[in-house]
């Protein structure tokens, strides 16, 4: 890949040639475009949340918190009613995927195949325990973030957030366009 300069990249783009396949400041152009997309998305969401206003964000956070609380209060009941079915299905799906992994086992060591099988069973059990924890943790994290979100836009220095969002939007669009 050729390492091109900033103005050379713009000249290529203006000439109708793709900048993909080249490096800009040592980073492939595809990654500049991806970073631009991410920056534009984050800044756009920040701007939309600011436009929505604190009152709407507080209302949304309250409704989301109520849903999460209702979910947690009924979680135990649901776990007894459909939990066994879901657990059995997950066990079969995870067991099938993990058991299909082929690990090279030397033929001269007796009992190593049993040890590998035991290791696979431990992996299945760990995945079955970690998956619900990951889902629960994600739900709680979203609840906490949405609860704290309105206070960010009412802070006295929130103007800095708005300026950074605007700059990120322009810079993100710029690099996404340059990488096209």
């Amino acid at each position: 890949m050729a390492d091109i300069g900033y103005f050379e990249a713009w000249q290529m783009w203006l000439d109708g040639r793709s900048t993909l396949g080249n490096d800009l400041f040592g980073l492939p152009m595809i990654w500049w475009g991806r970073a631009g997309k991410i920056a534009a998305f984050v800044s756009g969401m920040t701007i939309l949340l600011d436009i929505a206003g604190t009152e709407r964000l507080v209302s949304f956070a309250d409704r989301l918190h109520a849903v999460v609380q209702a979910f947690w209060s009924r979680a135990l009941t649901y776990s007894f009613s459909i939990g066994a079915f879901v657990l059995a299905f997950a066990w079969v799906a995870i067991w099938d995927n993990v058991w299909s992994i082929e690990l090279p086992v030397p033929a001269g060591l007796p009992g190593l195949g049993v040890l590998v099988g035991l290791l696979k069973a431990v992996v299945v059990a760990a995945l079955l325990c970690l998956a619900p924890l990951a889902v629960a943790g994600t739900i709680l994290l979203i609840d906490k973030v949405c609860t704290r979100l309105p206070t960010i836009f009412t802070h006295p220095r929130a103007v800095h957030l708005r300026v950074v969002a605007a700059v990120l939007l322009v810079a993100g669009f710029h690099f996404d366009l340059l990488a096209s």
Side-chain angles (χ1 to χ4, degrees), residues 16-84:
R17 295 181 291 152
S18 176
T19 59
L20 295 176
N22 296 304
D23 291 350
L24 179 66
F25 305 121
L27 191 66
M29 286 304 297
I30 186 110
W31 287 105
W32 284 107
R34 290 174 180 172
K37 284 177 177 49
I38 292 169
F41 174 77
V42 169
S43 65
M45 286 302 299
T46 304
I47 292 168
L48 287 176
L49 290 172
D50 190 28
I51 290 171
T54 307
E55 296 81 21
R56 287 185 181 161
L57 291 177
V58 168
S59 172
F60 175 75
D62 290 342
R63 285 188 310 232
L64 180 68
H65 186 69
V67 167
V68 169
Q69 292 303 316
F71 173 76
W72 287 122
S73 68
R74 295 187 181 133
L76 189 59
T77 305
Y78 290 138
S79 67
F80 285 118
S81 61
I82 64 169

Side-chain angles (χ1 to χ4, degrees), residues 4-5 13 17-18 20 38 44 50-51 58 60 66 74 87 100 103 105-106 108 128 134 141 144 150 172 174 178:
I4 58 175
W13 188 86
R17 295 181 291 152
S18 176
L20 295 176
I38 292 169
D50 190 28
I51 290 171
V58 168
F60 175 75
R74 295 187 181 133
L87 187 63
S100 67
L103 296 175
V105 178
L128 282 173
L141 179 68
K144 294 299 178 190
H174 160 266
L178 188 60

